[in-house]
Each structure stands twice: as structure tokens, then as C-alpha cells.
Amino acid sequence: MRTNKHKGTNRSLMRIPALVLGLILPLVLAFSAALVIQAGIQMDSVNDLRTKDYFQTSAFSNDFYTKISTILNGISAREILDQADENTYIDLGELYNGDSLSFKNTSGLAYSFNDLKEWGLQSINSDDDWIVLGLTTPEGKTEYMYYSDFSKALEDGTLQLNALQGALKSEGISQNDWTDRVLSSLKAEYAASGIREMEPLKNITDKNRNIVYTDVADMLTPVFKIPCAPEGYDSLLDYMNSTSSQTRNFKGTLTDAFEQLDNARELFSNWTAATQALNEYNSGSSNIRYAYTDNSTNDIFTNTDAGYTSDLTHISGFSNKKPYVLLDVNDTAKTEKDAQSGLTNLNLSSEPSSSIESWINLLRNSTYDENCSFLAWIDDTSLPVADSVKTARQYFQTYRTLFIPAAVVAVISFLLFLMDFIWLTVHTGKRNSDKGSTGNIQPELNFFDRIDTEIAAGLVCIPTLGILTTGLNLQYATNNHIASMIIIGITIFLISCMFWIGYLSLVRRIKAHTLWKNSFLRRCLKFLRLCLHKAGKLIEFFSRNTISRIRMVIGLGVFLFLEFFFSALIPASGGWFLMFLLLFLLDLGALFFVYKIALGRELLLDGLKRITDGELTYKIPEEKLRGDQKEMAQYINRIGDGLDAAVEKSLKDERLKTELITNVSHDLKTPLTSIINYVDLLKRKNFTDQEVLKYLDILDSKSHRLKSLTEDVVEASKASTGNLSLEMADLNFVEMLYQVMGEFEERLEDRHLTLMTHFPDTPAMIFADGRRMWRILENLFGNVLKYAMENTRVYAEVLLKNNQVIFTLKNISAQPLNIPAEELTERFIRGDVARNTEGSGLGLSIAQSLTQLQGGTFNLYLDGDLFKVCLSFPQKISPAALSGPDETHS
């Protein structure tokens, strides 16, 4: 037993460090795994672990490739923007056809560099007024007009809408209302196929009533405003209206033109962004040096101050000992094979991740030059400038050093977490007192485990989701690396806490088989089952074809039908007041009917209450009731008559029984007295035979006991029926107790019983019969003398409380008290079931009856072998008691 106790204690003590470990290990695992992942990102491949030189890694090669792409795009954009002048254009036809930009107006639909550049710096605005409308000419051609221009032309009378003859009059609208309706339809894009099908349109004329258009439709959704116009035209719509699809070089539709115009604007935005990105690679802000020359135009772009020739390798500061890339594309490189032969040198690392083809394609796709040379290198391998290259190398060196230790820590922490997870899963829910050899012991559950399963899951998952969302938002909003790490750590710790709370509770529920038992879904299913059961009972109730239920169903159905019928007629009828009055009278009648039912129910309840309280002769007034309630009242009245007769018969039988007991006991007194007297005479004879003397003693003892039993029976009978004359007077209850205890003092000492008293100093005055009170106390102390365990204490206490004199007597029973306390006050019931002691079993019954006859209360209490009797009488306050303090003594 001692070993099992120690095992339980050790298991309880181990749970705390196991839980702490379960909270710490996820933090260690998360940070170590993050280091491993970040190191992998910085290194790009496992081969990068084998070299200490960052410039010999594929990570640097890929990063250098990305930066060179940015530089080449910036050079190309700057070359384009630098050559822009008033004669430089972006031709939308070349964009539509996918041709190389010639920066000339070749299709007739071209926008100047300056206009597009200015427009590219502005934000894009849209407006409903810029809806494009298509107007059909009498020749069947389509001309385009902005909604705002069309609306303005209608307002100033330049254009007029002409309806079919009599159409406006038949529809009852004016010319202005019709014009507003047409404009609203066009603006809301409801007239995609023209307004002839939806409006009474005849034609559209000018102010001279000449037919200009025959129909109008909305062609395009609202598009961005265009603050510039193509070369030679007032607007893009002017170009489309002034040319025909057969003659113009731009073969696309108006929608295509808008799309290519947006592409041209986006090109300028990209060129501007590329030049701004190129500025970040100035000599003072980057460790990368570059030199680019266009061999056709001899344009030079570089971020060094040193001059150079066409041979870029002779530029000042360059050394082939440093990381560099040299690309050379000439006019003869027409195929991929020729492009590779045009490559002069490439030396990034022993195994570059970017192929030669990708570098050649990068140079060609980033520039519009077919004959150019490009050189980029790291000016100083010590990286004096704090740019992204230096930051990347620092990260690489740091993460390369931490990669292996972080990986080892991640693996170890994962294994430890797995072991801790398994240990907690196995030992969770076991009590400290469990021996571990039985599986029937109920697991230990806490308050959280007793919550409904779904609610507990919500209490875990919802806060966890909130913690995760809050942590991610805070981590995203902060730019401080240390603060970000702290936020991530706190988030992981709190999520781990919520995980263990939910998971361990789940384990305990599974072990205790309460996962489904405490489920809210189970309660809902039980409630649904109960509802179905009640519905079945209701159907069964109505399936019994009784007149009352049929009347109830028909009456309810008729009432509901009339209610809904009159309610539906009120809004639809011209005589709504009459319908409302009928509905009101119907509801009033229903209210009166319910009132009558409620009144009848109250009469029935009142009658039942009065009959239950003993008023058996009360009759429920049947004349105030109708139907089933009247029939129920008749049955209840008959029950009252039957109960009255039964009670009368019971009282008569009780009187006859009492009289029989009294008469029999009285008749026994005469021969019993003779027996006692003759036994006494025989004892006066000087018999010498010891056996005769023994028999005489037995006769004397048994005759006196029989006499006492007879007197007890008579007194018990009289006390239970109240057939006693009482001589009531003021008594000092404490003084009477002292007298009774004096009578029993020696007999208590012979039984080795110690009497402990606690009485007040002030008189405990009661109004009672002294002789009957003496009999009560005599029976109580005699009961203690017979049944109390020897060598124990007997406690007698008197309290004056709430104008009551309360007497309590307590003792320990020698025999087990395995019966209810109320049975001990019944006649001929004894605490000594084996009847080893003398007694009639009437003592407590007589004491209870005499107490109640004198206006007191008599209560018994059993607590194990503790026997306690409590008497309570109204206190008669004496003048001495009023003047003295309420003190007690023992």
C-alpha cells in the first residue's frame, strides 16, 4: 500500500513538469524549424553548405541574376525615355499586332511620348459620362459618341429625339420625360441593342430636322477618362468615326483600341518604375558595378565614373578575380546557337544555377538592342556599401552556421514533444490513488471536462483562432525583428496552452466515456426524441374518439378558420369596419369561453384544496359548471362523501379499540391485584426451601411488570385519544429536571453512565401538568437507562430561544439503531430488537402523546448510534427572568 501511494504521488508530481515541457517544446521546435527553413531559403541548395564563400553559392547566383534583370530593365527603360521627343510615338497598331515598337506613327493611331508620360503620372478616373454610345446612321454605319456629349447635344437642341406619331400621347408622357427616360436607359446599360425595341423612336434629327441617326445604343461599359488624343485627331472616337474599317491601318475594334491604349499607359508606368529601380544601383548605394553599351548607337549606361572602350573588360576597377558576368550579343547572332557563340565570358560559380541560354534571353528580352555588350561585377568583395547583397551575405553566413544546430534541436525537440505527448496521453485522468492494475476506475474529471463537448471545443477553438489572427496581425504590423519574435513566441505559447487544455480534456472525456454522454448534440437528440414521444402521446390522446376531444378539436378548428377568414377579408373588403367588428366579437367570445373554463378550473382546484385540508363536507357548486367540469365536480363531491364516511368509520373504530383496551386493562387490574397480594402473603411465610423462595421472587417481579404494562397500555390509550384530564399550572422545567435526575442518579452510576448537563440560570417556566410532565421525563431517562451504552456520557441541555424552552437529551445506543426515528414513537416498538431488556415499547409513545397534549413538540433524531430526543414548550416569562441575564451553567 505504501508503494502504490508513492507511485500515485510521483505521477502527480510528474504531470507538472510534463505540462511545462509540453508548453516549452513547441516554442523551441517552432523557432528551430524556422531557422532551418530560413537557412534553406538563404542557401537555395544543400551544396551551399559545403562552401564558406557566399559568392560561390547558387543563392548568390540566383540573387545576382534577379538584380541584373532589374538593372537591364532599368537601362532599357531609360534608353527609351531618354530618346523621347515630340516626334516619338507609341503606335497602338504595333501593340495590337504584337510588332516591335518603332516609336513612330505607322498605323495612324498613335499617341505621343509626352502625352502618355504625363498621363502615366496621373491616377485613373472613371465616370458614367464616359460611356461610349453607338449611333446608327441612315446608311447603316455606326458612329461613336460619349454619353456626356450626346446628353449635352440633346439639352442644347443640336440633336433631337423624334418619337413615332401618337406614341408619346398614348403612353401619357411628355417629350422631356421621354428624353430623360432614354438617357437613363443608356446610362444604366439597358440599351445594348438600341432603343428602337424599347422606346417609340422614329429617328434622331439635327436642329434643322434633318435625319442624322436612326438608333442609339450603349456600346461599352464606363471606361477610364482619356486626357490626351491620338496624333491628328480630337479623340479616339474621332479617329474611329473619321475612318472606316476597310481603309484604316488599325484593324481592331474600338474595344481593342481602348485595351491597347491602356497597355501603352501601363508601359510608361513600367518604364518609370524600372528607371526608379535603376537609381537604387548608383555607385554610392550598391556594391554592384555595371557597364552597358549599345554598339549600334554607342549609347553608354554605367554607374562608374571610369571611362571605357568597347572592350568592357578593360574598365577601371574590374577584375576577373571578382564575381562578374559579361554578356555580348552581336548582329550575327540570329539563332540560339549563334547567341551562345556570341557569349564572351560567364563566371559566376563553378556550377551556375542560371544557364547560358537564360542569361542570353535575359539580355535580349530586357533590351531592344541586337548588338550590345553588358558587364556587371562586384566592385569590392568586402561589400563596403550596406545594400541587399551585403545583407544577403550576412544572412547566409549566420544561417549557414545555425543550420545544423537548429536542425538537431528541431529533431530532438520534436522527439521529446512526441514522448511527452504520449506520456500525458497515457497518464492524463488517472487518480493519484489508482494502483494502475485496473481499468474500471473512473478517471478524474475537472470542471472544464464536465462542460458540453461542443461548447468546450468552441471555448478552445474560437480563442485559439483569435490568438492566431491577432498574433499574425501584430507580427505583420511590426517592423522590429525582436518585437516580432516576442509576438510569435507569445502566440505559440498561448496556442500551446489552448491545445493542451482541449486535448487533455478530450483524453479524459474519452477515458471516462463522457465524450458523447456530455455532448450537446446528444442532448438535442434526446430532446428531439422526447418531443417525438410527446407528439406520439398527443396523437394517441387524440386518437381516442371521445366526445370532449372531438369537440375541442372541432371548436379550435372553427375558431382558427374564422379568425384567418375575417383577417384576410379586412384589407380586401370595402366594408372593413364590419369585418373588424365581427373579428372583435369572435375574439371576445373566445375570451369569454376561456374565462369560463378558467373559472371552472379555479372552482375545482379550490374544492380539491378544501377537501384535502380536511373539510370533507364541502361541496363544489355544480350549478356554476358546464360539461366535463361539472362531471368532474360530481365525482369530487362523491369522493368527499366517501372520505367523510371513511374518516367517521375510522374514528369510531379507534374509539372502540381504545375502549376495548381500557376495559380489558381495567378488568385485568382486579385479578392482577389479587395475585400480587397473595404473592406478598406467601413471601411473609417463613419458607426455608430456596427453590420456593426463588419462584416467589419471580412471581413477584413478573406480576409487578404486568401491572406496570397494564397501566402503560391504559395511559397510552388515553393519551393518544386525548381522554385525560390535565391540571395545567406554571412549572419551572429546570427544577423538575433536577428532581428527576436525582431519582435516576444512582441507577445511572450503576450503569456507568455520566450525566452532563447544561441549564440556564434563569427560570425556564412552562405551562404544563406537573404529574404528566414527570411521567414524560421519567420515560425519557428510563429509556436512557435501558438502552444507553455503558461507560458513555449522557448529555442533557435546556435552551431558552425564541420564547421556547427547548430540552435536548442525547446518548449513545448500546444496540444498532437500524430503524427510522419515527418508528420508535409507535406503540410496542423497542430499540432493543432482541428484547433483552425489560420494557413495554410504550414509553416514547406515551411521552410523545403527553407532550403534544400539553402544547409541546416531541422530536427524535438518529445519527448512526446517536439517539437524540428534543422537547419544546412555549416559555412563560417570569419577572425574575426578565430582570436577569440569560446565563447558563454546567
Side-chain angles (χ1 to χ4, degrees):
M1 295 297 292
R2 185 178 302 172
T3 303
N4 292 331
K5 182 178 180 181
H6 288 169
K7 286 183 178 179
T9 304
N10 293 336
R11 182 167 58 241
S12 176
L13 294 176
M14 289 179 63
R15 289 176 188 170
I16 297 177
L19 283 173
V20 173
L21 197 63
L23 295 175
I24 295 176
L25 285 176
L27 290 172
V28 178
L29 179 60
F31 284 115
S32 58
L35 282 175
V36 172
I37 295 173
Q38 189 63 30
I41 294 174
Q42 295 296 327
M43 292 182 293
D44 282 350
S45 68
V46 180
N47 293 330
D48 290 347
L49 284 172
R50 301 173 182 175
T51 177
K52 296 181 180 180
D53 187 3
Y54 171 67
F55 299 112
Q56 297 298 320
T57 63
S58 58
F60 170 72
S61 174
N62 294 331
D63 184 56
F64 196 59
Y65 181 88
T66 302
K67 287 179 169 49
I68 296 306
S69 174
T70 303
I71 293 172
L72 288 175
N73 288 330
I75 291 173
S76 176
R78 181 167 292 173
E79 187 177 14
I80 293 172
L81 294 178
D82 288 348
Q83 70 182 6
D85 55 25
E86 59 182 9
N87 296 321
T88 305
Y89 300 94
I90 294 292
D91 190 274
L92 301 188
E94 294 176 349
L95 289 177
Y96 180 73
N97 297 328
D99 300 333
S100 299
L101 295 178
S102 63
F103 303 108
K104 297 179 180 180
N105 188 353
T106 59
S107 67
L109 181 58
Y111 286 81
S112 68
F113 256 43
N114 294 332
D115 291 343
L116 291 176
K117 184 176 181 180
E118 182 179 353
W119 184 28
L121 298 176
Q122 301 175 5
S123 59
I124 297 178
N125 297 320
S126 61
D127 197 322
D128 290 342
D129 291 339
W130 283 75
I131 298 174
V132 177
L133 304 178
L135 296 100
T136 305
T137 65
E139 294 79 16
K141 297 181 180 181
T142 300
E143 292 186 2
Y144 301 103
M145 182 182 298
Y146 284 116
Y147 173 86
S148 57
D149 296 335
F150 183 73
S151 176
K152 184 177 180 181
L154 292 178
E155 291 178 1
D156 59 19
T158 304
L159 294 178
Q160 295 180 359
L161 293 173
N162 297 284
L164 296 174
Q165 185 174 4
L168 299 183
K169 184 177 181 180
S170 63
E171 293 193 13
I173 59 175
S174 64
Q175 177 71 30
N176 292 334
D177 293 338
W178 180 52
T179 302
D180 292 338
R181 191 170 72 178
V182 169
L183 291 176
S184 298
S185 299
L186 294 171
K187 189 172 184 179
E189 304 177 25
Y190 294 153
S193 58
I195 64 171
R196 275 188 174 276
E197 298 180 1
M198 56 185 299
E199 299 291 346
L201 178 67
K202 181 180 181 182
N203 50 49
I204 303 173
T205 61
D206 57 14
K207 62 177 60 178
N208 297 323
R209 309 298 293 180
N210 297 319
I211 299 176
V212 182
Y213 306 109
T214 60
D215 197 5
V216 61
D218 46 11
M219 302 296 294
L220 298 175
T221 57
V223 297
F224 48 80
K225 289 184 178 181
I226 306 174
C228 53
E231 178 67 18
Y233 297 93
D234 295 334
S235 67
L236 178 60
L237 300 188
D238 185 29
Y239 170 80
M240 299 299 292
N241 292 332
S242 302
T243 59
S244 64
S245 59
Q246 292 81 12
T247 59
R248 60 173 173 253
N249 293 329
F250 181 79
K251 300 303 181 181
T253 63
L254 178 62
T255 303
D256 297 330
F258 275 121
E259 182 179 352
Q260 299 308 321
L261 183 58
D262 186 39
N263 293 336
R265 182 186 182 279
E266 186 177 358
L267 278 176
F268 266 91
S269 298
N270 294 337
W271 291 336
T272 303
T275 56
Q276 292 175 353
L278 183 63
N279 293 333
E280 298 178 1
Y281 290 92
N282 294 330
S283 59
S285 56
S286 175
N287 290 299
I288 298 177
R289 296 293 180 266
Y290 67 87
Y292 173 86
T293 179
D294 185 346
N295 297 327
S296 300
T297 62
N298 295 324
D299 291 336
I300 296 174
F301 296 92
T302 181
N303 62 349
T304 65
D305 297 332
Y308 59 91
T309 61
S310 59
D311 187 0
L312 299 180
T313 57
H314 295 163
I315 192 171
S316 176
F318 169 75
S319 172
N320 56 10
K321 306 273 185 201
K322 301 174 182 178
Y324 73 96
V325 60
L326 176 60
L327 301 173
D328 189 10
V329 176
N330 52 44
D331 294 332
T332 61
K334 302 299 183 183
T335 63
E336 188 66 32
K337 183 176 180 181
D338 295 335
Q340 293 185 37
S341 64
L343 180 67
T344 303
N345 199 347
L346 177 64
N347 184 17
L348 283 173
S349 63
S350 58
E351 296 180 1
S353 58
S354 300
S355 64
I356 296 175
E357 292 84 355
S358 63
W359 283 99
I360 294 296
N361 291 332
L362 174 63
L363 181 60
R364 282 187 166 180
N365 295 333
S366 299
T367 64
Y368 294 95
D369 301 326
E370 295 295 333
N371 188 3
C372 59
S373 300
F374 177 75
L375 173 65
W377 72 97
I378 300 298
D379 184 54
D380 188 348
T381 55
S382 64
L383 304 180
V385 180
D387 62 349
S388 59
V389 177
K390 183 174 183 178
T391 303
R393 186 176 72 169
Q394 291 174 346
Y395 280 156
F396 170 79
Q397 293 173 347
T398 301
Y399 287 116
R400 180 184 176 278
T401 306
L402 296 176
F403 179 80
I404 294 178
V408 172
V409 172
V411 173
I412 294 175
S413 59
F414 174 76
L415 294 177
L416 289 176
F417 178 80
L418 185 61
M419 294 169 59
D420 186 65
F421 179 84
I422 295 173
W423 191 92
L424 285 173
T425 302
V426 173
H427 292 87
T428 293
K430 289 187 176 180
R431 300 177 183 270
N432 296 335
S433 58
D434 295 351
K435 297 181 180 180
S437 59
T438 177
N440 298 324
I441 299 177
Q442 185 71 10
E444 187 175 8
L445 301 178
N446 55 33
F447 169 76
F448 185 78
D449 300 334
R450 294 181 176 88
I451 301 176
D452 291 346
T453 303
E454 294 84 356
I455 297 177
L459 292 176
V460 171
C461 296
I462 294 176
T464 301
L465 183 61
I467 292 170
L468 179 61
T469 303
T470 304
L472 292 177
N473 290 335
L474 291 176
Q475 197 272 337
Y476 178 78
T478 182
N479 295 323
N480 189 297
H481 183 69
I482 297 177
S484 177
M485 297 294 288
I486 293 175
I487 292 172
I488 293 175
I490 294 175
T491 302
I492 294 174
F493 178 78
L494 293 178
I495 292 177
S496 299
C497 291
M498 299 305 298
F499 166 77
W500 285 117
I501 291 173
Y503 175 73
L504 296 181
S505 177
L506 176 64
V507 171
R508 288 190 291 267
R509 291 168 188 264
I510 294 175
K511 291 183 178 180
H513 306 290
T514 60
L515 183 65
W516 174 247
K517 183 178 179 182
N518 289 347
S519 173
F520 180 74
L521 177 61
R522 177 175 175 269
R523 294 187 182 183
C524 293
L525 293 177
K526 287 182 65 177
F527 177 75
L528 179 60
R529 180 181 177 184
L530 179 62
C531 292
L532 294 176
H533 178 72
K534 294 295 184 182
K537 290 290 185 182
L538 185 63
I539 294 173
E540 182 182 357
F541 172 78
F542 281 103
S543 65
R544 301 169 187 167
N545 191 17
T546 61
I547 300 300
S548 61
R549 289 161 192 165
I550 293 175
R551 286 202 307 266
M552 180 180 66
V553 173
I554 293 177
L556 180 61
V558 170
F559 172 77
L560 292 177
F561 172 77
L562 294 176
E563 185 82 11
F564 285 108
F565 179 74
F566 289 135
S567 300
L569 287 180
I570 287 178
S573 175
W576 63 269
F577 180 76
L578 179 60
M579 295 294 104
F580 179 79
L581 182 61
L582 291 176
L583 183 62
F584 175 76
L585 293 177
L586 178 65
D587 292 339
L588 190 63
L591 178 63
F592 179 75
F593 179 74
V594 173
Y595 167 75
K596 291 291 290 182
I597 293 177
L599 181 61
R601 180 174 174 272
E602 291 295 329
L603 289 175
L604 291 174
L605 289 176
D606 181 66
L608 286 172
K609 182 179 182 301
R610 295 175 70 169
I611 293 174
T612 304
D613 292 341
E615 195 176 343
L616 302 179
T617 59
Y618 176 76
K619 301 296 180 184
I620 299 175
E622 301 177 7
E623 63 277 3
K624 296 182 179 181
L625 302 175
R626 296 290 184 273
D628 294 340
Q629 291 184 342
K630 184 175 182 180
E631 189 175 356
M632 292 172 60
Q634 293 174 353
Y635 289 144
I636 293 173
N637 290 336
R638 292 174 190 173
I639 292 174
D641 294 339
L643 289 174
D644 189 20
V647 170
E648 184 65 29
K649 184 176 182 300
S650 176
L651 292 176
K652 183 178 179 180
D653 292 343
E654 187 68 24
R655 284 195 300 271
L656 290 175
K657 182 173 65 173
T658 302
E659 291 176 1
L660 175 63
I661 293 174
T662 303
N663 292 335
V664 171
S665 300
H666 187 270
D667 292 341
L668 287 175
K669 280 185 178 181
T670 302
L672 184 59
T673 303
S674 299
I675 292 173
I676 292 173
N677 291 335
Y678 282 115
V679 170
D680 186 57
L681 290 175
L682 288 174
K683 289 178 68 177
R684 293 179 184 179
K685 300 295 183 177
N686 295 324
F687 293 108
T688 58
D689 191 346
Q690 294 297 323
E691 189 171 358
V692 172
L693 293 175
K694 178 181 177 182
Y695 292 156
L696 287 175
D697 289 337
I698 294 174
L699 286 173
D700 183 58
S701 172
K702 299 303 180 181
S703 60
H704 278 87
R705 183 184 176 191
L706 182 58
K707 180 181 178 181
S708 176
L709 178 60
T710 303
E711 292 175 350
D712 288 345
V713 170
V714 173
E715 188 168 7
S717 178
K718 292 180 179 180
S720 62
T721 58
N723 192 16
L724 283 177
S725 58
L726 299 176
E727 298 178 2
M728 305 293 285
D730 292 343
L731 298 177
N732 190 335
F733 187 76
V734 176
E735 289 184 359
M736 181 171 288
L737 272 176
Y738 279 125
Q739 295 173 11
V740 174
M741 289 188 297
E743 290 288 336
F744 283 87
E745 184 176 0
E746 292 184 359
R747 285 186 285 175
L748 291 173
E749 291 178 355
D750 293 340
R751 291 269 296 169
H752 305 290
L753 296 174
T754 303
L755 186 62
M756 308 295 294
T757 62
H758 187 264
F759 299 152
D761 289 338
T762 58
M765 303 300 295
I766 63 174
F767 188 68
D769 186 330
R771 188 164 65 89
R772 306 301 179 187
M773 185 60 64
W774 181 278
R775 182 61 187 274
I776 293 173
L777 297 176
E778 185 181 32
N779 285 359
L780 294 180
F781 280 95
N783 188 72
V784 170
L785 191 64
K786 294 175 185 177
Y787 302 114
M789 180 183 292
E790 295 187 2
N791 299 312
T792 59
R793 296 183 181 89
V794 178
Y795 293 89
E797 181 181 23
V798 176
L799 293 177
L800 304 180
K801 186 177 181 181
N802 298 330
N803 295 328
Q804 294 283 323
V805 177
I806 303 173
F807 169 63
T808 304
L809 186 65
K810 296 182 288 187
N811 67 275
I812 301 298
S813 175
Q815 300 293 331
L817 298 176
N818 54 358
I819 59 175
E822 56 270 13
E823 290 188 13
L824 288 177
T825 57
E826 296 182 7
R827 299 180 188 178
F828 308 108
I829 298 297
R830 297 168 59 183
D832 180 12
V833 181
R835 295 185 178 267
N836 295 323
T837 59
E838 294 186 356
S840 62
L842 295 172
L844 294 179
S845 177
I846 293 172
Q848 183 185 42
S849 299
L850 292 177
T851 301
Q852 294 173 350
L853 284 175
Q854 299 177 83
T857 59
F858 184 96
N859 294 308
L860 288 182
Y861 304 96
L862 299 180
D863 188 1
D865 293 335
L866 174 66
F867 176 86
K868 176 182 176 182
V869 61
C870 182
L871 303 181
S872 177
F873 291 93
Q875 182 183 7
K876 294 281 290 186
I877 306 298
S878 64
L882 292 174
S883 60
D886 186 10
E887 297 178 356
T888 59
H889 69 277
S890 298

